[in-house]
Amino acid sequence: MKNNGLLSGHTDLKLNEVLAKLQLVAETPFEKAIPIPAAVNHSQEFFNHEQKSIFMKEWICVGRNDELLRPGDFLTHEIAGISVLVVRQEDGSIRAFINACAHRFARLLQEEKGTSKRFTCPYHSWTYNIAGDLVRAPYMEMKDNFDKTKNGLRRLYLELWEGFIYVNLSKKQPKKVASCLNSLRENVVGRYDMGSYKTIMRKTMVWDANWKNLIENFTESYHVPMAHKKTFALHKKPLEDYYCGEDDDHYGYHQAVQEADTGGGAAHPKNNKLKGDWRRTMVDFCVFPCQLITLMPDFLWYITVLPQGIGQFKATWGVAIPPEILDDIKPFEYEKWLSDLSDYMDVANEEDKILVQALNQGSASTILPTGSLHPIEKNLWQFTRYLSRICQI
């Protein structure tokens, strides 16, 4: 793993010093706000602290509900160095477990997705059903009073919201996802019915930057007209028309109305849910800490960003499309349409990769200007306030 801050002077900064810098910026009113302190993205102590204070306690999106269609369909995801297994059950529900055998903790599954009615540990062949129950433990009858019912997989908290699957590693019952995001759903995104969108692709990417650098980049659209000329800038949404939403402990969003009421970015004629300007409105939002979503009447792009070190992250992302849009694609045209869309998304990600890695590289310097935020970068300030609140000791 790369650590682009290794020689920057930020890396060895103590946690209390980083938290003090972060708190100072977070307490500054938005009208006078400055960027997130550089040390927050480069300090090793802060990185260690946020693994415990954020990723071991907060809800993390691991995928979409429709990615697990049949009993036994599973996804694996790594959160704060912990491998998570998410499985569709016989009754249609979904459960989440630690992806480790209850014997001596060998990883059960290496695949990122698949389907199986049994999960067998490669080490000693302990075997579990999709409910996480131990159903076979070879030769364990040699151990007095061994009870299979007490040696199942370690279960985790899991919830569904608007078509997304969230997992929480906390030992205590966390606040419900729906409760945390109720205002966002009621006032903005609920009208789109994201849960009905069909997931059509899922990919991963590893970039050499801090995970928060991608959050910084995604939570503002100030860069779109300049940096996304081949992709998102084609929707022609004037910067003056962007609106940044209310302050909240759990999310931040901004939205804009595009010029055209037909074509890409607009609602299908058969869409009777969206009215007025909402039929051509894009909403970019961040579910804190690390889920990013671009939502349009005809398109949904989600990203989950998870750190692999100070200077490297892995992002899992997917695209989902409303069913009425998919219904218009002729079967013999689908593969080309999907390939073209995949290429388009790859180009958009490459446009962002240059920016995100440059942000990490530039902020590694300990001699920097004060910085300033544009009026439509309010979501970045909101994210900074979230970090300060959740990370304070």
Side-chain angles (χ1 to χ4, degrees):
M1 299 178 189
K2 291 189 178 182
N3 176 5
N4 294 329
L6 185 59
L7 302 177
S8 72
H10 293 305
T11 305
D12 295 330
L13 205 62
K14 298 301 181 183
L15 177 61
N16 62 340
E17 296 178 81
V18 181
L19 290 175
K21 292 175 182 288
L22 180 59
Q23 185 173 9
L24 184 63
V25 173
E27 291 177 349
T28 303
F30 176 61
E31 293 71 25
K32 299 180 180 180
I34 61 176
I36 190 169
V40 169
N41 291 326
H42 295 280
S43 163
Q44 182 64 53
E45 280 198 17
F46 185 81
F47 175 83
N48 295 341
H49 177 63
E50 67 186 5
Q51 300 306 290
K52 295 179 289 185
S53 61
I54 297 177
F55 294 101
M56 295 296 293
K57 295 181 179 179
E58 295 283 82
W59 288 106
I60 306 297
C61 176
V62 297
R64 297 266 299 164
N65 183 41
D66 68 345
E67 292 183 270
L68 304 175
L69 294 175
R70 302 163 298 173
D73 285 356
F74 67 84
L75 297 171
T76 63
H77 216 82
E78 190 157 307
I79 305 170
I82 296 172
S83 184
V84 171
L85 169 63
V86 179
V87 191
R88 177 73 71 181
Q89 301 297 298
E90 292 288 352
D91 64 0
S93 65
I94 302 175
R95 290 186 180 184
F97 308 98
I98 298 294
N99 183 21
C101 180
H103 173 213
R104 281 172 47 204
F105 322 130
R107 181 171 292 195
L108 287 177
L109 296 164
Q110 301 292 341
E111 305 95 324
E112 291 190 356
K113 64 183 303 183
T115 185
S116 178
K117 291 298 183 74
R118 292 286 188 272
F119 303 120
T120 300
C121 178
Y123 205 167
H124 300 92
S125 294
W126 282 32
T127 301
Y128 306 85
N129 61 20
I130 60 175
D133 303 318
L134 179 64
V135 296
R136 180 172 179 267
Y139 307 110
M140 287 304 292
E141 67 275 6
M142 297 170 63
K143 181 182 174 93
D144 292 339
N145 301 317
F146 178 74
D147 187 350
K148 286 194 294 186
T149 65
K150 296 180 180 179
N151 285 272
L153 298 179
R154 171 74 178 272
R155 194 166 172 182
L156 300 169
Y157 293 107
L158 180 145
E159 288 189 19
L160 301 178
W161 180 80
E162 290 288 318
F164 291 101
I165 306 169
Y166 297 85
V167 171
N168 194 304
L169 301 179
S170 178
K171 295 179 181 178
K172 299 179 180 179
Q173 174 70 57
K175 187 176 180 180
K176 297 287 186 181
V177 175
S179 176
C180 295
L181 303 179
N182 184 60
S183 295
L184 179 65
R185 186 188 66 81
E186 290 287 337
N187 299 329
V188 186
V189 303
R191 67 189 76 233
Y192 289 83
D193 189 19
M194 291 186 291
S196 71
Y197 287 29
K198 305 299 181 183
T199 306
I200 58 169
M201 70 176 71
R202 178 185 176 98
K203 294 187 179 184
T204 60
M205 56 193 186
V206 176
W207 291 359
D208 293 327
N210 187 272
W211 70 276
K212 297 183 293 298
N213 294 138
L214 183 54
I215 307 297
E216 292 181 73
N217 183 72
F218 198 100
T219 53
E220 54 92 351
S221 289
Y222 180 30
H223 72 281
V224 170
M226 290 72 76
H228 284 293
K229 289 185 170 64
K230 298 178 181 178
T231 54
F232 304 136
L234 300 177
H235 289 287
K236 298 181 179 179
K237 294 182 283 290
L239 289 183
E240 296 81 4
D241 293 345
Y242 277 82
Y243 166 79
C244 293
E246 68 276 2
D247 300 339
D248 192 272
D249 287 344
H250 305 288
Y251 63 83
Y253 71 91
H254 60 271
Q255 62 193 60
V257 181
Q258 69 178 35
E259 293 179 351
D261 58 7
T262 60
H268 190 280
K270 292 182 179 178
N271 183 326
N272 56 14
K273 303 165 190 168
L274 295 170
K275 308 296 181 183
D277 284 349
W278 287 104
R279 296 185 63 81
R280 52 194 176 98
T281 295
M282 174 217 72
V283 183
D284 271 349
F285 62 101
C286 177
V287 175
F288 302 148
C290 60
Q291 184 188 14
L292 305 167
I293 298 174
T294 290
L295 174 61
M296 299 183 188
D298 66 338
F299 174 86
L300 185 155
W301 177 34
Y302 83 90
I303 310 173
T304 294
V305 192
L306 292 169
Q308 294 196 319
I310 300 175
Q312 189 176 84
F313 66 77
K314 181 177 181 179
T316 298
W317 62 270
V319 171
I321 304 292
E324 64 270 18
I325 301 291
L326 293 174
D327 288 345
D328 278 357
I329 303 171
K330 295 179 174 60
F332 66 88
E333 296 176 339
Y334 180 79
E335 289 303 322
K336 184 180 185 307
W337 172 84
L338 185 62
S339 177
D340 290 345
L341 179 58
S342 179
D343 290 344
Y344 175 89
M345 296 306 301
D346 287 342
V347 171
N349 280 321
E350 283 301 314
E351 289 173 325
D352 274 331
K353 182 178 181 179
I354 295 169
L355 315 177
V356 172
Q357 293 190 163
L359 183 59
N360 185 257
Q361 293 161 355
S363 64
S365 172
T366 56
I367 304 175
L368 293 167
T370 302
S372 180
L373 295 184
H374 187 278
I376 66 169
E377 292 181 305
K378 189 176 183 181
N379 294 159
L380 175 53
W381 174 77
Q382 292 169 333
F383 176 65
T384 304
R385 286 161 57 88
Y386 161 80
L387 279 179
S388 180
R389 176 179 60 82
I390 203 75
C391 290
Q392 287 300 328
I393 299 172

